[in-house]
Amino acid sequence: MTRSLIKLFCLRKRTEHQKLQKYRGALPYELVEKILVNAWCSIGDAPSRWRFFRVIAILSKVWRDVLHEVVLRYAFIETMVDFIAYERLLSRYDPCARYVSIVLNAVDHTRFRVDKIAKYVPEARFMCLAITIDRRYYFDAILQNLLAKTESLTHLRICWPPLRDSFACPLSSVVISSVTHLHIARHPPASLGSILASFPNVTHLRLGTPCFLKNLVPYMSTVRVLILDAPPQYIMHAVSQAPALVFPSSVPLWNICDALEHGLLKSTASYPGRIIMNAGKSDADKSMIADIALSCQKHGVAFECRRRYPPLWQPSHSDPRRWDHDAWS
């Protein structure tokens, strides 16, 4: 009996030693997690994304376990392939996505629907939402069936199809009070006021399509930081079949000076306003930028111009810097 116990003890010790030997050469968890997050979030298409998932799962148990956590936290539901893969994962794990990227098609009903996605991302904090094909009243369905059910959501990026392919958004009774950081990369015609009305607590607002800012002043009472994308050679597509309008610079299309006169970002000592303009890398619009800076100074609003966009840049429904927190401030 004693000899059997000794053998059992030795076997257990040998097994523990083998496990230690197996994991001794492993990288620190934090480093493995960082590598996998960067890899997972940089893969642009669904087949490659899930091929990577399967390969890592086969290669290493340690990396597989970390990857499961990463995939559940950074959820990409952009195609039917993604949707089916997450359905399988969530049959074994609880939904815990914090960062979510969703691509919606309002017409193709063979794909996943808005209400189906909501139950997979109840704890999302950052969401990138792209509408590739729009239909009338679709935004109201998104508000009711997805955003209103994600009470932890604080950061939202939303992008509609180009102007000629999107429908105007009527004013909705649904209010999303949790969102404080809102990025509207592209919006339907004459709809920005209606959209902003559904997000009354936004403090950081980024807009990607030039508009008359003075018309938005009533919807921006809580906004303290306004980020405006002003790429060079801006192309505006008309609703009809008319040729697109091409502007050598989109800086003047924002009409910032006029908006400041109408109360844009009214600043006080305790609540200063700030405008950040993401402009082109060329200095062709230097004089216009200087006029905006002087007008901001006059109204007590801080102004910063960042030269970042190459020629012919246009908003895209998928942003490679979607999880870059610096894009919000």
Side-chain angles (χ1 to χ4, degrees):
M1 182 70 177
T2 305
R3 185 174 296 175
S4 299
L5 287 172
I6 292 172
K7 283 184 177 180
L8 182 62
F9 177 78
C10 291
L11 178 63
R12 184 177 295 173
K13 280 291 184 184
R14 187 159 59 248
T15 303
E16 289 177 358
H17 178 72
Q18 288 172 347
K19 284 185 178 179
L20 286 173
Q21 288 294 110
K22 180 180 178 181
Y23 294 116
R24 184 167 290 170
L27 294 171
Y29 172 88
E30 293 79 7
L31 181 57
V32 174
E33 182 187 44
K34 186 176 181 180
I35 291 170
L36 291 175
V37 166
N38 290 338
W40 178 251
C41 294
S42 65
I43 300 172
D45 62 288
S48 299
R49 194 155 46 233
W50 294 103
R51 195 178 306 118
F52 170 78
F53 177 84
R54 290 191 296 272
V55 168
I56 293 297
I58 294 170
L59 286 179
S60 165
K61 182 184 183 300
V62 177
W63 284 55
R64 182 197 66 194
D65 293 344
V66 179
L67 182 60
H68 270 81
E69 295 177 16
V70 170
V71 169
L72 289 167
R73 192 162 71 250
Y74 292 82
F76 290 82
I77 308 177
E78 300 180 344
T79 68
M80 200 63 196
V81 172
D82 293 317
F83 185 77
I84 292 170
Y86 274 104
E87 264 193 328
R88 290 172 181 163
L89 272 177
L90 295 176
S91 66
R92 292 176 287 153
Y93 301 94
D94 292 330
C96 59
R98 296 292 186 273
Y99 304 82
V100 184
S101 181
I102 303 169
V103 176
L104 295 172
N105 181 327
V107 177
D108 186 358
H109 295 293
T110 61
R111 288 165 55 93
F112 44 86
R113 298 201 313 268
V114 177
D115 53 344
K116 286 187 175 181
I117 296 174
K119 62 182 180 180
Y120 293 159
V121 294
E123 299 178 5
R125 290 190 59 224
F126 293 76
M127 184 181 293
C128 289
L129 189 58
I131 303 169
T132 55
I133 301 180
D134 197 13
R135 64 175 170 81
R136 205 172 299 279
Y137 303 112
Y138 192 46
F139 182 56
D140 195 60
I142 292 171
L143 288 170
Q144 291 187 52
N145 299 321
L146 177 60
L147 301 182
K149 296 179 181 179
T150 315
E151 297 179 359
S152 56
L153 186 66
T154 58
H155 291 60
L156 173 65
R157 180 191 192 268
I158 186 164
C159 185
W160 273 266
L163 183 66
R164 63 179 181 272
D165 299 324
S166 56
F167 292 89
C169 298
L171 194 65
S172 175
S173 59
V174 182
V175 172
I176 311 299
S177 56
S178 62
V179 172
T180 56
H181 292 61
L182 179 63
H183 177 187
I184 303 174
R186 190 164 49 207
H187 62 270
S191 298
L192 202 45
S194 301
I195 296 167
L196 292 178
S198 291
F199 303 95
N201 296 326
V202 169
T203 58
H204 291 64
L205 175 64
R206 181 176 174 184
L207 301 175
T209 306
C211 60
F212 289 105
L213 286 174
K214 69 177 183 180
N215 297 335
L216 304 179
V217 171
Y219 308 100
M220 295 173 58
S221 59
T222 59
V223 174
R224 306 319 313 156
V225 178
L226 177 62
I227 305 173
L228 304 173
D229 290 324
Q233 201 162 345
Y234 179 74
I235 301 173
M236 181 181 292
H237 296 278
V239 177
S240 65
Q241 297 301 316
L245 300 174
V246 180
F247 296 89
S249 172
S250 60
V251 170
L253 301 180
W254 286 107
N255 294 280
I256 295 175
C257 298
D258 190 29
L260 288 167
E261 294 290 342
H262 283 80
L264 178 69
L265 295 186
K266 277 190 175 178
S267 293
T268 63
S270 54
Y271 294 101
R274 183 183 180 202
I275 295 177
I276 299 171
M277 176 166 278
N278 296 323
K281 294 180 178 180
S282 168
D283 286 336
D285 48 20
K286 189 175 181 180
S287 62
M288 290 181 282
I289 296 291
D291 289 342
I292 293 171
L294 285 173
S295 185
C296 285
Q297 186 178 12
K298 174 185 171 183
H299 290 87
V301 176
F303 178 74
E304 178 186 354
C305 179
R306 298 173 179 173
R307 299 289 184 178
R308 56 179 295 185
Y309 290 125
L312 302 179
W313 180 90
Q314 289 288 297
S316 170
H317 75 267
S318 61
D319 186 352
R321 298 177 65 236
R322 52 168 69 86
W323 309 133
D324 182 0
H325 298 183
D326 293 336
W328 301 96
S329 59

